[in-house]
């Protein structure tokens, strides 16, 4: 049969809002609602060849971004359970339930980073515990600076540059950049490094723990990517 129009140009049909090249072999589609507030309203597409979940944000009838979440399995079907969990049916006959990581993805990344760092296990545990203490005030999610400045993108950023509204004058007016050396010194002795800061003493005195924490914060400045948390039933 003759083909009307140019191949691949959709001259005779409605053009797609988004296309994957190469194809991820999309296998299912659902709307996220109640899994996590930051995902509400996003489309979740499962895939066979891609072995990913594609999170699709649509605004004003246009796709503004697509995030690929690696699962590492061919996904045959996806839906959202009434309790909020994302349910996946895989080609190897497994049902996976995905739930938000406790403490947010920022903490999950830091925990994963530190647990797999080439440092003694005692330093790993002390560093994770110290980060949890920081999280009593600070968030590891990029856009959460309500109680205190977010630590998600602090490494390499200008001092006092988050959306936090209650910086001390000394920190807000400081034009320096958060380098490894400056962060390390500040964690050990905040008032000495930035006189007038409201940051209390962290009581961190082990240089190995301080270095591990700063390395984890360095990783957070990039896109967080970890193997997905999953439960098999």
């Amino acid at each position: 049969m003759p083909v009307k129009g140019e191949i691949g140009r959709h001259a005779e049909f409605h053009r797609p809002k988004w296309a994957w090249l190469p194809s991820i072999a999309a296998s299912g589609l659902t709307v996220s609602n109640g899994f996590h507030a930051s995902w509400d309203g996003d489309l979740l597409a499962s895939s066979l060849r891609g072995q990913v979940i594609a999170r699709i944000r649509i605004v004003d009838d246009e796709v503004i971004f697509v995030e690929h979440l690696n699962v590492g399995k061919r996904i045959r079907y996806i839906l959202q359970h009434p309790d909020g969990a994302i349910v996946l049916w895989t080609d190897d006959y497994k049902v996976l339930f995905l739930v938000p990581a406790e403490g947010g993805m920022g903490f999950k990344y830091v925990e994963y980073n530190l647990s797999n760092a080439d440092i003694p296990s005692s330093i790993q545990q002390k560093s994770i515990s110290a980060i949890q203490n920081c999280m009593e005030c600070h968030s590891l999610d990029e856009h959460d600076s309500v109680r205190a400045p977010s630590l998600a993108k602090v490494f390499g950023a200008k001092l006092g540059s988050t959306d936090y509204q209650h910086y001390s004058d000394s920190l807000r007016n400081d034009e320096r950049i958060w380098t490894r050396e400056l962060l390390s010194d500040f964690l050990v002795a905040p008032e000495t490094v930035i006189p007038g800061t409201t940051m209390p003493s962290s009581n961190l005195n082990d240089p190995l723990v301080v270095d591990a924490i700063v390395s984890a914060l360095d990783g957070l400045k990039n896109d967080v990517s970890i193997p997905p948390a999953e439960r098999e039933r």
Side-chain angles (χ1 to χ4, degrees), residues 24-43:
I24 63 171
S27 57
L29 188 69
T30 191
V31 179
S32 178
N33 187 14
F35 176 78
H36 191 278
S38 65
W39 285 26
D40 282 352
D42 291 346
L43 298 178

Side-chain angles (χ1 to χ4, degrees), residues 57-114:
R57 174 70 53 82
I58 296 178
V59 176
D60 296 331
D61 205 31
E62 297 291 338
V63 176
I64 62 171
F65 72 75
V66 176
E67 176 187 17
H68 284 183
L69 307 166
N70 182 46
V71 176
K73 293 180 181 292
R74 288 170 55 89
I75 309 165
R76 183 62 59 176
Y77 190 66
I78 183 172
L79 61 82
Q80 185 164 26
H81 192 274
D83 68 4
I86 303 299
V87 186
L88 309 177
W89 171 246
T90 72
D91 257 11
D92 54 356
Y93 307 108
K94 292 182 178 179
V95 178
L96 308 180
F97 291 76
L98 308 186
V99 296
E102 183 178 354
M105 288 305 296
F107 175 68
K108 194 66 178 177
Y109 169 81
V110 166
E111 184 180 41
Y112 177 83
N113 180 290
L114 291 172

Side-chain angles (χ1 to χ4, degrees), residues 67 105-110 113 140-143 150-157 180 214-226:
E67 176 187 17
M105 288 305 296
F107 175 68
K108 194 66 178 177
Y109 169 81
V110 166
N113 180 290
L140 299 182
D141 294 325
E142 181 180 359
H143 301 295
S150 168
L151 301 181
K153 305 289 186 181
V154 64
F155 198 105
R180 174 174 290 274
V214 172
S215 293
L217 294 178
D218 183 9
L220 268 179
K221 76 176 185 291
N222 301 313
D223 292 334
V224 173
S225 177
I226 60 172

